[in-house]
Amino acid sequence: MGNRVTFDTKLTELPGIGVKRAEAFAKLGVFNAGDLLYHFPRAYQHRGRVKPLCEAAEGEVCSVLLTIAQEPVNVTVKGRMTLTKVVAFDETRRCAITFFNQSYLKDVFRIGAAYRFYGKVTLKNAHCEMTSPAFEPYIPGVPLPEFYPVYPLSEGLTQKMVKDAVRFVIEHCDLDKEEMLPLSVREANNLPALGEALRFIHDPAHYTQLNEARNRFIFEELFVFSMGLSLSRRPSGRREAPVMREVELTDFYQALPFAFTPAQQRCAQEIERDLLNDEGTPMARLLSGDVGSGKTVVAALAAYLCVMNAYQCAFMAPTGILARQHYEDLSALLGNLGVRTALLTGSTKAAEKRSIYAGLADGSIQLVIGTHALITDQVCFQQLGLVITDEQHRFGVRQRAALADKGKEVHMLVMSATPIPRTLSLILYGDLQISVIEELPPGRQQVDTFVVDERYRQRLNGFIEKCIVAGGQVYIVCPSVEPSEEELVDLSYKDTEEAMPKLKSAVAYTEQLRAEFPNRRIDFVHGKLKEAQKEKVMTAFAAGDIDILVSTTVIEVGVNVPNASLMIVENAERFGLSQLHQLRGRVGRGKRKSYCVFVSEAKSDASKKRLQALKENQSGYKIAEIDLALRGPGDFFPSKEGGAKQHGALHFKLANLCDDLDLLKAAFGAAEPLAKADPSLAKPEHAKLKNHLEKLWMQFGMTLN
Ligand code: ADP
Ligand code: MG
């Protein structure tokens, strides 16, 4: 096949990849050679960190440098399995290594030769053992790679299959021909060429290469994203948004169990003014307000006004849990006023879905609340007038636009509880006007906040019990889903010096808690569960049928269980301040006196200051400012868990809009002039870029005009 592999080469044309394996790759979104090279490692084994055997802890996964001590032997057991037994040593210990059904290895390991082995070390009666470790021959003076990539896999694939396929393409493709970043942009931003960057990211020799490559691809992602925004933001001229008339709102206000706060009133007026303008200019407004400031009822007013004008309203939430909750609140309020409401999520039964589609098409459903299920092709509205999206940053510009596409031109209201620094909002929501609900409804209680370390564990457990006995419920948030015995170098983990603290995982911790609190009802939710399962657990928690809910940050936004009175966040140092503030906002929503406890072993001053700031402040805006001052742009975007994995959500492979703000600015700076100079990307040197952008935009059902 020679040099004829291009990014468009189908996987099945690569050696060793048949239809079946290609299908496994397809599940990862990898269809051709280009996709394969953009299937980046999710982490790297740090094989370069070699330990003396005597320092390996029981069960630790690590690298050791060992010399073969004696001729390996093959033993056949149960008449079928062959064990190859190898004995090797370093200056500190000996190690017995066993391989299964790889009898040829007997002739591979020569006495006196050295190898770097990587795998789990077990200690049995002062004996070291390893089973089927990975290994590489060690030749003095020839450095071995520091890192070994770990790829995301699907069923039927192994690390080796992905690695081999990647290596083949890297060796047989003229990589720099596929370059999409203009040379001038690359030079101005000091970025390696595509070929080099791809070699580095798949097979970095050391941190510097890895960082260089990461930087390039982060920039690239943000650049393509910025190009798309710049191009789609060109003014479209004609404006034909639905024109609405003033309606009598007394019924609405009377149906509310409380009066609007002055801030809610002002925001409601701003929205009304947008909806009632008679020039056909669509509303494009961000309704921003701290957790609990009461955005939902303001949105409900907008929905009511829309429906009273005989237009339909779509209300989109980022998760099924939130959608259901909004549905329950809004159908109670607006249903009483005669508004016909429906809930459409991924877990809605097929028959019901069909009837909702029909109701939306013939106009009998006036308000539909749902998840991304609202932007599927089957959904057609008779007369869509207003699109409301909650917790906007979980969707991104493209989903908004995709939903808006369902009405010719519709009014758009997005709600966000995340105070966004100005620079960022100009880049991301430059097209939106902003209303801020800057005060909380009266009578809100303060949530007492504590920062503790492991020494308080016993007392904390006592406190949990006390809250439950008093009739309250408890949230415990963990940073990861499942435990990992292997400490991988996380792509986002930049600090090479400090050891990563062990993370509490939701699944394992639930087990532990069940043992510690045998009389309590304990369950967990996390982003990897099916939507229906998540909803089931959340519904049970909301109904008071669960005492302790262990979760990842899926419960970060919006969930409302007023009876919950204690929030515990484990490994609190792993979260952004704004995110922690959001988590704290899950309690103190009802009458119960509520508490929030951040558990952290972090010892650095910066970490301590950050957590202290939360203890001392209750305003999300104030906290965002502090966060910005203490560690840059803060956590204004969702972690992978929770938001970004949502189908179709604004999803960067590597970029993290919070850490990479400087790159985002640079990318934007580079994209704008290019979009102006070549608005249809017609120049031949922009062909690859155009191609890339079209693919990206297409994922969201949008086309470049
Ligand atoms: P968020 O802005 O975080 O989305 P919600 O809309 O969920 O907040 O409102 C939080 C709670 O405050 C809800 O239970 C809601 O009914 C209540 N609420 C909203 N506005 C007022 C008000 N003006 N007075 C009293 N309670 C209010
Ligand atoms: Mg809300």
Side-chain angles (χ1 to χ4, degrees):
M1 178 183 285
N3 249 354
R4 275 173 299 119
V5 178
T6 70
F7 274 18
D8 293 327
T9 302
K10 292 255 171 333
L11 283 192
T12 43
E13 290 169 39
L14 301 177
I17 301 189
V19 177
K20 214 159 174 195
R21 198 172 291 181
E23 275 168 9
F25 272 110
K27 287 204 192 98
L28 296 166
V30 174
F31 300 97
N32 59 30
D35 299 336
L36 182 64
L37 293 194
Y38 274 82
H39 185 61
F40 298 138
R42 65 175 167 82
Y44 300 83
Q45 295 173 344
H46 199 165
R47 292 195 187 177
R49 199 158 45 193
V50 173
K51 283 206 164 181
L53 263 180
C54 69
E55 282 180 21
E58 158 63 20
E60 184 178 5
V61 176
C62 63
S63 272
V64 289
L65 195 59
L66 306 180
T67 306
I68 306 301
Q70 59 201 46
E71 184 81 18
V73 284
N74 280 342
V75 189
T76 307
V77 286
K78 290 178 195 153
R80 288 185 302 148
M81 200 187 332
T82 313
L83 305 185
T84 304
K85 301 209 166 227
V86 180
V87 178
F89 63 97
D90 66 9
E91 277 125 50
T92 66
R93 295 192 86 154
R94 285 167 84 87
C95 183
I97 303 170
T98 309
F99 294 93
F100 298 96
N101 288 335
Q102 287 171 283
S103 52
Y104 65 93
L105 287 177
K106 178 176 169 0
D107 302 319
V108 169
F109 295 112
R110 295 276 149 91
I111 299 180
Y115 291 85
R116 183 172 75 179
F117 292 95
Y118 180 87
K120 192 199 265 191
V121 175
T122 49
L123 306 172
K124 259 188 217 145
N125 321 324
H127 270 81
C128 262
E129 291 182 6
M130 292 180 97
T131 305
S132 305
F135 61 89
E136 297 139 296
Y138 169 76
I139 300 158
V142 183
L144 287 171
E146 184 83 2
F147 296 109
Y148 198 86
V150 182
Y151 291 96
L153 298 177
S154 60
E155 210 181 309
L157 289 179
T158 64
Q159 291 295 340
K160 187 169 179 333
M161 289 175 194
V162 180
K163 199 168 151 69
D164 287 350
V166 166
R167 181 181 307 145
F168 183 86
V169 176
I170 286 186
E171 281 168 7
H172 292 85
C173 176
D174 188 350
L175 298 174
D176 286 326
K177 260 207 186 129
E178 310 284 345
E179 180 67 81
M180 76 162 112
L181 290 180
L183 182 63
S184 58
V185 170
R186 240 173 45 223
E187 282 178 350
N189 292 281
N190 213 353
L191 303 169
L194 181 62
E196 196 173 36
L198 284 170
R199 281 183 207 104
F200 286 175
I201 203 151
H202 287 289
D203 191 15
H206 43 70
Y207 259 111
T208 318
Q209 286 189 352
L210 179 56
N211 278 341
E212 254 180 64
R214 260 176 54 81
N215 250 13
R216 183 215 139 97
F217 289 113
I218 291 172
F219 182 94
E220 183 182 303
E221 281 187 304
L222 296 173
F223 178 75
V224 175
F225 170 68
S226 309
M227 274 311 287
L229 277 187
S230 300
L231 292 175
S232 61
R233 227 182 244 173
R234 278 172 301 143
S236 69
R238 258 190 18 245
R239 314 261 64 183
E240 288 176 11
V243 175
M244 301 189 185
R245 275 168 229 303
E246 222 169 326
V247 295
E248 183 53 52
L249 293 171
T250 321
D251 285 352
F252 178 85
Y253 287 117
Q254 272 174 358
L256 282 181
F258 45 71
F260 268 23
T261 60
Q264 284 172 317
Q265 270 166 27
R266 188 180 35 72
C267 292
Q269 274 162 15
E270 287 166 1
I271 291 167
E272 277 178 64
R273 209 179 311 132
D274 285 352
L275 293 177
L276 301 179
N277 88 80
D278 52 13
E279 289 136 34
T281 317
M283 169 166 76
R285 188 170 285 279
L286 178 70
L287 177 60
S288 157
D290 207 348
V291 190
S293 58
K295 294 181 288 293
T296 319
V297 279
V298 176
L301 177 102
Y304 184 68
L305 206 147
C306 168
V307 167
M308 288 297 115
N309 271 283
Y311 285 102
Q312 290 164 297
C313 175
F315 191 132
M316 185 158 69
T319 65
I321 296 168
L322 277 176
R324 171 170 299 280
Q325 197 174 292
H326 281 316
Y327 172 74
E328 277 159 12
D329 292 349
L330 293 180
S331 60
L333 174 66
L334 298 177
N336 275 340
L337 299 169
V339 177
R340 294 182 302 271
T341 327
L343 173 69
L344 181 64
T345 70
S347 57
T348 305
K349 296 263 172 338
E352 201 184 335
K353 265 187 194 161
R354 276 195 299 277
S355 103
I356 293 175
Y357 295 151
L360 289 173
D362 69 16
S364 56
I365 295 172
Q366 297 166 303
L367 168 63
V368 64
I369 298 157
T371 53
H372 55 263
L374 288 179
I375 44 180
T376 54
D377 285 340
Q378 291 99 316
V379 178
C380 295
F381 292 88
Q382 189 215 20
Q383 275 259 51
L384 183 62
L386 170 66
V387 171
I388 302 172
T389 54
D390 189 17
E391 309 300 353
Q392 137 70 15
H393 61 291
R394 300 222 153 182
F395 286 103
V397 188
R398 288 169 286 180
Q399 278 80 5
R400 274 201 263 133
L403 185 51
D405 270 357
K406 300 213 170 268
K408 266 182 254 140
E409 276 211 87
V410 296
H411 296 287
M412 199 141 60
L413 180 67
V414 300
M415 298 194 282
S416 172
T418 316
I420 298 155
R422 240 194 117 53
T423 39
L424 215 51
S425 75
L426 282 180
I427 289 172
L428 292 178
Y429 319 117
D431 51 340
L432 298 185
Q433 312 224 263
I434 300 183
S435 295
V436 184
I437 309 184
E438 74 288 271
E439 65 183 332
L440 297 183
R444 275 293 150 77
Q445 54 158 303
Q446 295 254 315
V447 175
D448 285 354
T449 305
F450 303 92
V451 182
V452 304
D453 59 24
E454 283 302 328
R455 288 173 300 168
Y456 288 78
R457 185 61 71 187
Q458 274 314 316
R459 280 164 70 183
L460 188 54
N461 282 353
F463 193 52
I464 293 176
E465 183 65 23
K466 204 170 136 198
C467 285
I468 299 172
V469 169
Q473 287 164 276
V474 182
Y475 288 107
I476 301 181
V477 174
C478 298
S480 81
V481 176
E482 275 154 2
S484 64
E485 28 182 54
E486 188 180 12
E487 281 194 19
L488 295 170
V489 176
D490 192 310
L491 264 179
S492 63
Y493 193 73
K494 287 171 188 152
D495 191 345
T496 55
E497 297 308 318
E498 206 185 325
M500 278 187 290
K502 273 256 175 284
L503 298 185
K504 274 235 151 60
S505 74
V507 178
Y509 196 40
T510 303
E511 285 313 313
Q512 189 185 328
L513 286 165
R514 281 177 178 153
E516 285 170 354
F517 296 90
N519 302 323
R520 299 300 169 201
R521 297 159 300 174
I522 305 175
D523 214 333
F524 63 84
V525 278
H526 58 71
K528 288 185 182 164
L529 295 176
K530 292 238 160 56
E531 200 64 31
Q533 171 66 12
K534 277 191 264 184
E535 279 183 40
K536 199 176 125 207
V537 175
M538 283 313 299
T539 309
F541 188 65
D545 296 338
I546 292 173
D547 301 310
I548 304 177
L549 179 66
V550 185
S551 82
T552 54
T553 53
V554 286
I555 55 124
E556 176 192 341
V557 282
V559 175
N560 192 22
V561 180
N563 192 49
S565 58
L566 173 60
M567 162 64 68
I568 298 172
V569 184
E570 300 286 344
N571 297 101
E573 74 283 347
R574 296 287 289 199
F575 299 90
L577 280 195
S578 295
Q579 205 177 8
L580 290 173
H581 176 65
Q582 284 285 341
L583 289 171
R584 175 168 61 186
R586 296 311 108 217
V587 294
R589 303 176 80 85
K591 293 196 184 68
R592 278 180 199 288
K593 173 72 197 144
S594 297
Y595 304 89
C596 179
V597 182
F598 298 125
V599 185
S600 173
E601 285 293 285
K603 299 282 180 278
S604 76
D605 269 1
S607 293
K608 283 188 182 152
K609 260 198 200 142
R610 295 175 62 237
L611 295 177
Q612 202 59 28
L614 279 168
K615 188 171 151 70
E616 287 158 12
N617 292 281
Q618 299 268 338
S619 149
Y621 287 89
K622 183 79 193 146
I623 286 165
E625 263 171 41
I626 296 171
D627 204 9
L628 199 58
L630 285 180
R631 66 151 214 177
D635 198 301
F636 298 100
F637 292 87
S639 56
K640 291 271 153 58
E641 167 72 9
K645 273 194 187 148
Q646 295 280 321
H647 166 85
L650 178 59
H651 176 196
F652 294 112
K653 278 195 170 123
L654 294 176
N656 171 333
L657 291 181
C658 102
D659 290 339
D660 303 317
L661 188 66
D662 288 340
L663 282 173
L664 178 64
K665 279 188 201 152
F668 230 87
E672 291 233 281
L674 200 72
K676 269 212 189 87
D678 187 9
S680 46
L681 294 181
K683 293 188 182 154
E685 66 265 34
H686 297 151
K688 292 276 176 207
L689 177 59
K690 183 171 183 181
N691 210 306
H692 230 79
L693 193 52
E694 273 170 349
K695 252 195 251 164
L696 187 79
W697 243 229
M698 223 158 54
Q699 285 174 15
F700 302 99
M702 295 171 65
T703 49
L704 290 175
N705 40 348

